[in-house]
């Protein structure tokens, strides 16, 4: 009977020690305020990274990557290794360099050129203009 009491006490002490250590680790956690800018930039970077990953997984892009002699899996690995600042730079370049993005400006420029040439009697494109001569 003495041995049984001794083993119960040992188990109780070991479990108590484990409980104390487990609760000490939990209470050591610290919380601090997270600014709105930090939260937004974190999720923006994640959204940009996912958008680029979606682009690289499109069939047309994969075909072009393979045509250039690059393994698509290696391209994805390199994209995953980029920093948030590099991802932001790539997204900015993609937005600024998109084809046909400034079509309104191009059409307006062509309109002005044709209007001036009509006014100078070089062309007769618009009916509402009269020659300056």
């Amino acid at each position: 009977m003495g041995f049984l009491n001794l083993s119960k006490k040992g188990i109780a002490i070991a479990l108590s020690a484990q409980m104390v250590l487990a609760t000490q680790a939990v209470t050591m956690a610290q919380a601090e305020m997270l600014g709105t800018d930090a939260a937004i930039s974190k999720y923006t970077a994640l959204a940009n990274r996912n958008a680029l990953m979606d682009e690289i997984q499109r069939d047309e892009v994969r075909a072009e990557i393979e045509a250039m002699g690059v393994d698509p899996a290696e391209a994805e690995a390199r994209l995953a290794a980029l920093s948030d600042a590099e991802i932001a730079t790539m997204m900015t370049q993609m937005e600024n360099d998109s084809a046909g993005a400034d079509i309104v400006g191009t059409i307006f420029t062509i309109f002005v050129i044709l209007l001036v040439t009509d006014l100078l009697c070089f062309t007769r494109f618009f009916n509402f203009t009269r020659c300056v001569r």
Side-chain angles (χ1 to χ4, degrees):
M1 195 62 136
F3 177 72
L4 209 53
N5 283 338
L6 185 60
S7 69
K8 283 183 183 179
K9 274 187 178 181
I11 291 173
I13 290 172
L15 288 175
S16 297
Q18 181 186 8
M19 184 75 94
V20 167
L21 290 174
T23 56
Q24 287 299 318
V26 171
T27 57
M28 288 183 175
Q30 295 180 358
E32 63 183 57
M33 294 297 290
L34 180 63
T36 305
D37 298 341
I40 289 174
S41 67
K42 175 184 173 185
Y43 289 112
T44 301
L46 183 63
N48 288 345
R49 189 175 300 275
N50 288 340
L52 282 176
M53 201 58 89
D54 290 342
E55 283 295 319
I56 208 169
Q57 291 174 352
R58 288 181 32 215
D59 292 334
E60 304 90 31
V61 175
R62 280 182 118 38
E64 189 65 30
I65 289 172
E66 289 173 356
M68 291 182 176
V70 178
D71 182 29
E74 183 181 342
E76 288 179 11
R78 287 185 181 190
L79 183 64
L82 291 176
S83 70
D84 292 340
E86 292 169 330
I87 294 286
T89 303
M90 286 183 68
M91 288 299 290
T92 303
Q93 284 178 343
M94 284 177 62
E95 289 172 4
N96 292 340
D97 295 342
S98 59
D102 200 20
I103 191 73
V104 175
T106 305
I107 291 173
F108 181 73
T109 304
I110 291 171
F111 172 76
V112 168
I113 290 171
L114 288 173
L115 184 64
V116 168
T117 56
D118 268 6
L119 291 173
L120 295 175
C121 300
F122 295 135
T123 61
R124 187 76 184 132
F125 192 78
F126 298 115
N127 292 331
F128 59 86
T129 61
R130 280 193 266 171
C131 252
V132 176
R133 291 186 195 169

